[in-house]
Amino acid sequence: MKSRSRTITGCILGAAVGDSLGLPVEGMTRTRQARMFPHITGHGFLGHQGMVSDDTEHTLLVAQAMAVSGGDPEAFAVDLARRLKWWVAALPAGVGPATLRACLRLLIGFSHRSSGVFSAGNGPAMRSAIIGAAYGHDSEKMKKLVLASTQITHRDPKAYFGALAVAQMAAVSSIGEIGKPTDFVRSLAEELVDYDANEFLGLCSQAAQSANAGHSVARFLEKMNQPEGVGNYVYHTVPAVMQCWFRRPFDFRNAALEMVRAGGDTDTSTSILGAVIGAGVGETGIPEQWVDGILEWPRTVEWMRKVASTLAESVETEKPVTPPEVNPLAILARNAFFMAVVLGHGVRRMAPPY
Ligand SMILES: [Mg+2]
């Protein structure tokens, strides 16, 4: 119980910390980020504190749905779809286009079987590390849960490949035996043997080669024709996260700062990376001031820890466990405040330096 709880808590808080570190510079080019924020050493969303976005919220929704369903894929899909429906109804800021369309379809009555749209955005990848952290010991169950989570919003098989790779990274990280990058890609190829995933596996192999050569994420992205940062396309984001994880599997601080510095979709890329590394190092491996610097309500850091412990209990006992919930009206108020801060950042970005 103890080690499972440590892994799951590390994964959730790692996702939250990575998300909040990346959020102030989300969507900025690498060049502009370097000019506008020459010194990034920690939070910067709200003074020296951070808040979280969809990446962490989805991670928590998946954790709650896994706990309540006891990991049964069908019950999980039904519960996660219901949670996503109410999540979008609370007007979160900065939702990806495919996730927004799929959640609106859920809201007007589509079932989880028909809500997904054809897209290879990052939505499923950003919420699947927690599946690997919880069920990495049972690869068949892990794959079913990743597929169920993916298809509620994204139907392009590419979205599944990316999401599965993230879950597999978190699974390996949580066991703590990180082998050679090329061995990891080979094991991923075995999990995807029933699919035509050669393009994706090729990108993962390039990430492995780049990591073996000791290149930075920024240099890898340059080689992959993304010199200004990680794009919000799963085939851009997941190989970049993988490259950084291969090189720094236990070094949360430097991995997260390097990922933020790489630019682009930084909240998602750093959240996924943080979740993967967090699953390995646990909460104690994440810089304490970054965890304490998350200013969230009603989903406080302590509340996130409770979600983690109920999920750990469910995984260990193989039974459904009721997770903590939050008041939807409190979420509406929180989201209004969050939107105001996001708009403040938007206005700030209109000003120099360019
Ligand atoms: Mg986000």
Side-chain angles (χ1 to χ4, degrees), residues 8 14 44 50 103 106 117 131 149 164 169 182 188 196 205 252 257 265-266 277 290 296-297 305 331 340-341:
I8 292 173
C103 290
L106 288 168
V117 299
I131 302 174
S149 164
L164 185 67
M169 281 190 262
T182 42
L188 191 58
D196 177 14
S205 291
F252 192 103
L257 291 175
D265 193 4
T266 46
I277 298 178
W290 289 357
E296 273 293 341
W297 178 87
R305 288 192 191 103
I331 295 287
V341 181

Side-chain angles (χ1 to χ4, degrees), residues 9 15 65 70 99 105 133 145 148 154 171 226 230 237 243 261 315 328 353:
T9 306
T99 299
R105 282 157 72 99
L145 291 168
H154 291 62
Q226 305 159 59
V230 183
T237 304
Q243 200 272 3
R261 276 303 184 202
V315 174

